[in-house]
Amino acid sequence: MELDKIENILEKYFEATATVAEEETLRAYFSQESVAPHLEQYKPLFQYFSIAKEEKFTKQVPLKPRKNTYKWLSIAAVAVLVFGLYFGYQDYQEQKEAEYAYSETKKALNLLAQNFSRGTEKVAYLNEFEKTKQKIYNNN
């Protein structure tokens, strides 16, 4: 009768439905010297649990304060981002100023070129006047 009860509790144990009291019954049964021969294979398992329950960890665990590197990394990332935005904006402003100066210089040179073209037309008239004057002088 007791053997049937132990086998039922053992089935429950392996199905993970045994209660704590039933597990204690199994531990007590398997800690005896006489165990049924077909259940002899489970004896080391339950003896291990009994021995492990008695073990205590006595070594000192050094607790070091945790450094908050994540906080410092985020601060450094923000600093790099602000640094990049500041100098990037300065470069952008310098580029805008250079483009504006280029366009204004281009306008001034176009105006100068137009005035030189008009001046060249006037020189052409002077050239004609010079030829005509030479003809008059040569005829006289």
Side-chain angles (χ1 to χ4, degrees), residues 116-134:
F116 275 138
S117 294
R118 273 193 256 152
T120 311
E121 291 172 6
K122 302 296 182 194
V123 170
Y125 287 128
L126 281 176
N127 208 8
E128 287 297 318
F129 176 74
E130 189 66 32
K131 286 180 187 176
T132 309
K133 185 177 91 172
Q134 286 301 327

Side-chain angles (χ1 to χ4, degrees), residues 79-133:
V80 167
L81 182 66
V82 168
F83 184 75
L85 287 175
Y86 176 74
F87 285 108
Y89 184 72
Q90 278 187 343
D91 287 345
Y92 175 74
Q93 288 297 332
E94 288 175 4
Q95 183 181 3
K96 283 291 222 185
E97 289 174 8
E99 287 176 2
Y100 178 73
Y102 173 73
S103 65
E104 290 298 315
T105 304
K106 192 173 177 181
K107 284 180 192 175
L109 290 174
N110 277 337
L111 184 63
L112 191 61
Q114 287 174 355
N115 286 333
F116 275 138
S117 294
R118 273 193 256 152
T120 311
E121 291 172 6
K122 302 296 182 194
V123 170
Y125 287 128
L126 281 176
N127 208 8
E128 287 297 318
F129 176 74
E130 189 66 32
K131 286 180 187 176
T132 309
K133 185 177 91 172

Side-chain angles (χ1 to χ4, degrees), residues 23 31 38 84 108:
E23 288 180 18
S31 64
H38 68 284

Side-chain angles (χ1 to χ4, degrees), residues 63-81:
L63 297 176
K64 295 179 183 175
R66 214 175 109 195
K67 294 179 181 176
N68 200 353
T69 56
Y70 178 73
K71 178 179 150 185
W72 290 109
L73 284 175
S74 62
I75 290 172
V78 168
V80 167
L81 182 66

Side-chain angles (χ1 to χ4, degrees), residues 10-24:
L10 196 57
E11 276 185 47
K12 283 182 169 182
Y13 180 78
F14 287 123
E15 291 173 359
T17 58
T19 63
V20 175
E22 291 172 334
E23 288 180 18
E24 278 296 323

